[in-house]
Amino acid sequence: MLEFIYQSGWGAFTVLLLFQIPFLLVFLTIVFRKAYVNSEPSGITDADVGKWRGRWLTLVVALFLIINLASIKFIPAVYTARAAAGDVAAIDVTVEAQSWSYDMSAYEFEVGKPVRFNAKSLDTVHGFAVYHPDGDVLFTMMLVPGVSESSLIYTFTEPGTYKVRCLEYCGMAHHDMSDEITVTEASS
Amino acid sequence: MSIANSIVSSVPVFGRMFKVESEPELNDINFWPAAMIMASFLWLSVAVLLGIALPLTQMLGLDASLFYTAITAHGAAMAFPYVFQLMMGVGLHRAGGCVGKPVTGWLPAAAFWLMNIGGILFTIAILMGLKISYAVMYPLPVVGVATGQWSMASVIIGFTGIAGILITVILLYPVQVIKMLFFDKEREELVLNRRKLSDPGMLGMAMAAFVLLIMGSPLLIVASAVLLFLYGIVPFAWIAWAADPMVFQFVFYIFAHNLMEAMAIMVVSAVYATLPLYLADGTRKLYSDKMANLALWILLLTSVTSFFHHFFTMFPALPSALSYHGNIMSYGTGIGAAITIFTVTMTIVKHGLRPEAGVMAVLMGFTLYILDGVSAIITSNIAWSFQLHGTMWQAGHTMAVLIAMSMMWMGVLLHHYPVITGRVLDAASGKWFVILFTVGAMGVNWSFLAAGAAGMPRRFASWDQEGWMVYGYLILLFGLCLALSLLIFLINVSKARRIDTGMAASPAE
Ligand SMILES: [Cu+2]
C-alpha cells in the first residue's frame, strides 16, 4: 500500500485526488449556495468560527505530518543510507550522460543486489530516470555539469527490461536520449 | 495625449478593447496600466495559438524542432509578457487607486518598453533557432552553440531579450511599486478606495515588490556578467564564476521560484481586496483581516527558502539537510494556503455573495490555485519528487499556477475594467467565460498530472510512446475549451458599451 502510494506516479495521483476532491466539493457547494440559493448572512457566531478554524488547521497540520512522516523510508537519501549500512555490498555503476546518450559501466543487474548509480553529466543538464517495465518512474536524478556526481543506491525487485530516459530538457534530440538496462533473477 | 494612450489607440482590434475613455482626471493611473493590459492580451493570443500547436505537432508527426520552437515561445510568452505584464498593469492601477499616486514618468514607460521589446527580441531569437525552453537550463544555451544546434547570434539576441524582461520584473516594477507606496506625493483626485499598508488588500502588493527585488537581484548580477562576456566586453576569465552551472541554476531558481510566489502573494492580496466588495449584505470587509495578513506573512516567509524543492533529485549534490528544509517549507506554504482557504470561505459563509462575473472569476481562479497547490506540495515531498520531477506533472503545475493566477487577475480586471476604460461589459458572456475557463483549466491540469503520473516526460517531442498520446488528445480538447473561453472574454471586452454620461463608473476601488 505505502509502496504504491510513494513509489509510483499513480500513488501520488491518488493522494492528489484525496485532497482535491473534498476541497472542490465543499468549497464549490458553499460558493454556489451563498451566491445562488441563500445569500442571507448566516448567524454563525465568533465562537463557532473559532472552533471551526481550530479544527480545520488541526486537520491540515495532521494530514501534512502523516503524509510526510510516512514518506521517510521512500526518500532516496534514506534508503541509500540504509542499503549502504546493510550486509550486502552495493555494486558501483558509473553513468556518464552526454547529449544525447548514456555511457554506463554496466547494463545488467540482479534482483535483490543493491546497485549504486553514480551519475554525472559531461556537457549540459541531463536527467537519468529509470522506468519499471510497467511504465512507472522508479527514480529520476538531475545531473548538473561541474557537480561531482548525483548518486543513490537502488535495489531492483523484479526481473525485466528497464527503460532509461532523460527528464531534463537538453536540446533538439532530448526525446531520443534513452537507454535500456536488464535485470535478471538472482543467480543464487 | 500621453504616449501610453497613443500606443493603445493605434493598435488595431486590441486597442479598442482597452482604450481609456474614463474620467480624464484618472488618466494618470489608467494610461500605462491600460497599455500593459492590452499588450498582455496580445501576447496571450499568440501564446494560446502556440499552446494549441504543441499537441498538434505531435499528432501530425511533425518535426521535433517545431515542437521545441513552439514550447519555448509558448512558455516564455505565457509567463512574462502575458501573466506578469497583466499583473503589472492591473496591479499598478490598483496601487494608484489605493494610495492616490500616479503611474507616470519614465519608470512605467521603461517597464512597458523593456518587457515588450525584450519579449520580441526573445521571440526573434527563438525563430532564429534558439530552443532552450522558457526555463533556462544553463549551460544549454552555450552547449547548443558548441554542438551546432543554434547560432551564437541567437543566444546573444535571446539573452538581450531576457535581460530586458528581467530588468522589468526585478527592478522597474518593484521600484515603481515601492516608490508609490512609500514615497511620492498623494493626489486626492486619484484616490479611488483608500487602503493602508496593514490592509490585506495592500500588504501583499508591498511584499511581492520586495520579494522580486531582493530575490531577483542575484540573478540580475549573474545574468549581467554573462551578457557582458557575450557582448565581448569582458574576457571569460572575469565571468567564469557566473558561468558555473550550479551558480546559474541556484540564482535562477531562487528568482524563478520566488517570482511565482510573489505573484501568488500579490494575487491572494487582490482576492482579499476584491471579494469583500461583492458580499451580499454589503459588509465590504473580510471576516478577519488579521487571519488574512497572517496567511500572507506565512506565505512570504515559508516560500523564500522552499525553492530547494527544485533540486531534490540532485542528491547528494544538494545536501539532504537542505532537501528536508525545502520539503518542510513547502508544506509551510500549504499552511498559509489553508488559512487563506478558511478566511475566504468564512467570509462568504458569514456575508453571502453577489454572483457577478468578476468575483466569480476571482473565486474560480482561487479554486484552481488551491487545486494546483495540492499538486505542488505533493511534488515538494522528497520521495514523490523522485518519481515526478521532470514529468508532465511538473509542467502541469507550472501551467496551472499561471492559469489560476491569470484567471484571478482577469476577475480583478473585470472588476476594474469600467473604472479604467469607462465602459461596461455584458454580464451573460462574462458568465460563459468563467464556466468554460474553469472547465478547460481543470481538464488541462488533470490531463497533465495524469500524464505525469504515467511517467510521460515534459518538454519531450515524442508523445507517441507507452500510450501517452491519449493525454495529448485530452490536453488538446481542454486546451480548445480554454481558448474558446478566452475568445469570449476578448469579444466581450471589444463590445463593451460606453458608460452613459451621468451614470458614472462605480468608483468603488
Ligand atoms: Cu538529456
Side-chain angles (χ1 to χ4, degrees):
Chain A
M1 173 67 175
L2 282 184
E3 189 83 19
F4 164 73
I5 287 179
Y6 290 106
Q7 293 293 84
S8 76
W10 291 113
F13 195 78
T14 308
V15 176
L16 172 92
L17 294 181
L18 288 176
F19 272 85
Q20 284 184 334
I21 290 173
F23 163 74
L24 208 51
L25 289 177
V26 173
F27 187 72
L28 291 187
T29 306
I30 289 174
V31 169
F32 182 79
R33 286 188 61 88
K34 297 308 286 185
Y36 299 103
V37 182
N38 176 11
S39 58
E40 292 292 304
S42 64
I44 189 165
T45 64
D46 285 352
D48 289 335
V49 173
K51 194 170 72 188
W52 281 106
R53 188 169 59 209
R55 285 180 185 169
W56 165 244
L57 291 178
T58 309
L59 174 73
V60 171
V61 172
L63 286 173
F64 282 5
L65 278 175
I66 291 168
I67 62 173
N68 281 299
L69 291 175
S71 77
I72 289 178
K73 74 180 249 209
F74 301 100
I75 294 175
V78 173
Y79 62 66
T80 294
R82 212 182 261 194
D87 299 333
V88 189
I91 301 154
D92 273 289
V93 181
T94 58
V95 178
E96 288 183 340
Q98 192 168 12
S99 304
W100 290 281
S101 62
Y102 297 97
D103 186 10
M104 297 169 60
S105 63
Y107 288 87
E108 261 185 50
F109 308 101
E110 275 180 31
V111 166
K113 293 241 172 89
V115 183
R116 187 196 304 272
F117 290 96
N118 301 304
K120 63 177 171 190
S121 165
L122 302 183
D123 47 17
T124 185
V125 180
H126 290 291
F128 177 74
V130 176
Y131 281 68
H132 187 276
D134 72 10
D136 276 333
V137 178
L138 295 176
F139 60 83
T140 179
M141 295 155 88
M142 183 179 181
L143 317 176
V144 178
V147 169
S148 58
E149 267 165 0
S150 296
S151 121
L152 57 77
I153 298 181
Y154 192 83
T155 309
F156 293 98
T157 54
E158 285 170 63
T161 305
Y162 288 64
K163 191 101 185 163
V164 170
R165 287 193 181 90
C166 171
L167 295 191
E168 302 294 342
Y169 176 65
C170 57
M172 307 273 284
H174 162 58
H175 53 283
D176 286 331
M177 184 159 171
S178 64
D179 214 324
E180 275 178 5
I181 56 184
T182 311
V183 176
T184 57
E185 292 287 5
S187 51
S188 69
Chain B
M1 196 149 91
S2 103
I3 302 170
N5 197 38
S6 5
I7 296 166
V8 176
S9 324
S10 63
V11 172
V13 188
F14 285 79
R16 202 175 69 215
M17 297 175 187
F18 301 100
K19 187 171 52 175
V20 176
E21 298 177 322
S22 54
E23 293 145 69
E25 69 261 30
L26 294 181
N27 284 351
D28 284 353
I29 58 168
N30 284 342
F31 277 168
W32 277 116
M36 290 167 183
I37 294 166
M38 179 204 69
S40 78
F41 281 103
L42 263 169
W43 284 101
L44 172 67
S45 307
V46 178
V48 167
L49 294 178
L50 288 164
I52 301 284
L54 279 170
L56 285 177
T57 62
Q58 287 298 301
M59 285 159 198
L60 301 174
L62 303 181
D63 193 68
S65 77
L66 271 175
F67 178 88
Y68 291 129
T69 300
I71 205 168
T72 305
H74 169 73
M78 278 299 284
F80 296 105
Y82 169 52
V83 176
F84 192 89
Q85 187 162 220
L86 173 63
M87 185 207 81
M88 182 161 76
V90 183
L92 288 176
H93 166 79
R94 272 196 69 220
C98 290
V99 295
K101 313 275 179 73
V103 187
T104 51
W106 69 272
L107 265 174
F112 174 84
W113 288 116
L114 283 183
M115 170 61 83
N116 289 296
I117 294 174
I120 291 169
L121 284 178
F122 192 52
T123 308
I124 292 172
I126 295 167
L127 294 175
M128 287 169 71
L130 187 70
K131 301 169 185 58
I132 54 175
S133 101
Y134 69 97
V136 183
M137 298 302 277
Y138 195 84
L140 180 60
V142 281
V143 170
V145 175
T147 47
Q149 299 178 64
W150 44 75
S151 65
M152 194 60 179
S154 74
V155 172
I156 293 173
I157 293 173
F159 268 53
T160 306
I162 293 173
I165 291 171
L166 291 182
I167 290 169
T168 303
V169 174
I170 298 171
L171 279 182
L172 302 176
Y173 168 75
V175 169
Q176 172 67 22
V177 170
I178 291 166
K179 187 166 163 280
M180 288 169 76
L181 298 190
F182 297 95
F183 305 97
D184 281 356
K185 237 173 91 76
E186 183 188 310
R187 281 166 44 190
E188 190 64 40
E189 78 278 12
L190 296 179
V191 180
L192 297 176
N193 186 3
R194 190 183 300 281
R195 285 180 192 278
K196 289 213 269 311
L197 209 52
S198 56
D199 186 323
M202 188 90 250
L203 178 64
M205 200 183 290
M207 284 177 172
F210 284 105
V211 168
L212 290 170
L213 188 63
I214 295 168
M215 299 294 146
S217 295
L219 176 62
L220 211 52
I221 293 165
V222 167
S224 308
V226 173
L227 208 54
L228 286 178
F229 162 69
L230 289 178
Y231 288 158
I233 297 173
V234 299
F236 183 78
W238 289 20
I239 62 98
W241 59 275
D244 177 338
M246 270 299 251
V247 169
F248 204 98
Q249 285 288 322
F250 267 71
V251 293
F252 181 80
Y253 275 101
I254 288 173
F255 162 71
H257 168 80
N258 280 296
L259 163 71
M260 292 294 160
E261 298 285 4
M263 293 206 288
I265 287 172
M266 236 192 118
V267 79
V268 167
S269 189
V271 172
Y272 285 155
T274 310
L275 173 64
L277 307 175
Y278 290 90
L279 296 176
D281 64 1
T283 303
R284 299 177 70 88
K285 260 186 91 61
L286 292 167
Y287 104 85
S288 164
D289 279 357
K290 271 190 196 158
M291 290 302 281
N293 281 344
L294 174 67
L296 288 173
W297 281 109
I298 293 179
L299 284 172
L300 173 74
L301 292 173
T302 51
S303 64
V304 166
T305 50
S306 56
F307 77 91
F308 286 121
H309 58 215
H310 290 270
F311 300 120
F312 290 161
T313 56
M314 278 173 56
F315 172 76
L318 183 75
S320 299
L322 297 180
S323 292
Y324 304 145
H325 177 87
N327 189 149
I328 293 166
M329 287 302 136
S330 305
Y331 278 76
T333 63
I335 305 282
I339 296 175
T340 305
I341 293 171
F342 190 82
T343 305
V344 168
T345 311
M346 208 35 85
T347 301
I348 296 171
V349 167
K350 274 191 107 167
H351 305 295
L353 204 58
R354 283 191 289 127
E356 289 179 32
V359 75
M360 288 319 248
V362 166
L363 288 174
M364 290 309 105
F366 179 71
T367 307
L368 296 169
Y369 171 69
I370 297 301
L371 293 181
D372 170 65
V374 179
S375 73
I377 59 166
I378 284 182
T379 44
S380 301
N381 168 281
I382 302 169
W384 276 318
S385 179
F386 274 80
Q387 266 97 53
L388 301 171
H389 192 85
T391 69
M392 289 288 272
W393 186 293
Q394 233 82 5
H397 162 48
T398 312
M399 176 160 164
V401 74
L402 289 173
I403 287 180
M405 289 195 293
S406 90
M407 174 109 192
M408 286 186 272
W409 282 115
M410 284 164 90
V412 176
L413 172 64
L414 287 176
H415 172 78
H416 290 281
Y417 187 83
V419 180
I420 298 178
T421 64
R423 293 185 296 280
V424 282
L425 297 163
D426 173 49
S429 68
K431 192 168 145 187
W432 276 108
F433 153 68
V434 175
I435 293 172
L436 285 172
F437 193 101
T438 307
V439 171
M442 285 185 187
V444 165
N445 190 223
W446 273 317
S447 308
F448 268 81
L449 296 171
M456 178 176 175
R458 66 172 165 181
R459 306 171 193 155
F460 187 83
S462 177
W463 292 8
D464 206 8
Q465 298 180 30
E466 319 258 354
W468 293 327
M469 193 61 100
V470 62
Y471 302 107
Y473 285 109
L474 289 171
I475 288 166
L476 180 62
L477 176 74
F478 289 110
L480 288 170
C481 185
L482 266 181
L484 178 64
S485 78
L486 292 168
L487 188 66
I488 291 174
F489 178 88
L490 291 177
I491 291 174
N492 194 4
V493 285
S494 69
K495 282 179 154 173
R497 283 170 299 110
R498 197 68 203 272
I499 297 168
D500 298 332
T501 31
M503 168 191 146
S506 153
E509 243 237 14

